[in-house]
């Protein structure tokens, strides 16, 4: 990311936020390493409840709704998020049996890593730009 920023003559160094990117990468690591997930198989997809310690819960509350919005841009499935006191539920469903199989194959962690926006998203964060569109 630093190399990309340095190679771009249009980089606005007054907006660069590598500390913000680092905090997001720490969140990503915590999400993958520390989240405990209970997956409930539905006839049309999955309901996934993520929970963990206080830091993990904070991470889930930041990451899951933001990523669910990215997942929802794919019209092959429906995405719902519910934030609860003890965790965050991600529900991904579809009427297409092939997409349902994909949802079940990906599971929570695969769904959180799917969609090819991560590199661009991280570069936007590093540049101090709004990376989640809100």
């Amino acid at each position: 990311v630093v190399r990309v920023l340095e190679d771009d003559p249009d980089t606005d160094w007054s907006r660069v936020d590598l500390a913000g990117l680092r905090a997001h990468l720490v969140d990503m690591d915590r999400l993958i390493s520390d989240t405990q997930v209970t997956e409930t198989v539905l006839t049309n997809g999955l309901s996934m409840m993520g929970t963990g310690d206080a830091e993990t819960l904070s991470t889930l509350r930041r990451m899951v709704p933001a990523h669910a919005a990215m997942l929802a841009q794919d019209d092959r499935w429906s995405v719902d998020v519910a934030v609860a006191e003890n965790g965050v539920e991600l529900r991904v469903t579809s009427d297409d049996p092939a997409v349902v199989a994909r949802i079940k194959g990906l599971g929570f962690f695969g769904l959180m890593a799917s969609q090819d926006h991560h590199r661009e998203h991280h570069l936007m964060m590093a540049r101090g730009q709004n990376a989640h569109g809100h």
Side-chain angles (χ1 to χ4, degrees):
V1 168
V2 171
R3 190 173 319 124
V4 170
L5 294 173
E6 289 178 335
D7 289 347
D8 182 353
D10 295 327
T11 294
D12 180 351
W13 289 100
S14 69
R15 295 189 61 183
V16 168
D17 183 12
L18 293 175
L21 175 58
R22 179 192 176 276
H24 174 71
L25 296 173
V26 168
D27 263 354
M28 286 180 62
D29 181 64
R30 185 177 296 120
L31 179 86
I32 298 302
S33 299
D34 298 341
T35 299
Q36 291 132 31
V37 178
T38 302
E39 293 185 355
T40 302
V41 175
L42 309 171
T43 56
N44 62 345
L46 278 178
S47 170
M48 299 147 281
M49 184 66 179
T51 190
D53 63 20
E55 285 184 339
T56 302
L57 286 173
S58 293
T59 291
L60 286 165
R61 289 182 184 124
R62 281 189 296 274
M63 301 282 285
V64 177
H67 194 68
M70 298 301 298
L71 287 171
Q73 292 178 13
D74 185 330
D75 62 7
R76 292 175 291 180
W77 49 37
S78 296
V79 180
D80 294 296
V81 177
V83 178
E85 189 175 322
N86 64 333
V88 177
E89 179 191 13
L90 175 66
R91 184 179 292 251
V92 183
T93 57
S94 175
D95 294 329
D96 180 338
V99 176
V100 171
R102 179 178 171 200
I103 293 165
K104 291 176 180 178
L106 287 168
F108 178 80
F109 297 107
L111 286 161
M112 290 302 295
S114 70
Q115 313 298 44
D116 191 29
H117 72 280
H118 289 94
R119 287 180 297 258
E120 178 185 358
H121 161 78
H122 291 162
L123 192 53
M124 287 179 71
M125 293 182 87
R127 286 188 167 139
Q129 298 169 341
N130 185 339
H132 286 129
H134 54 253

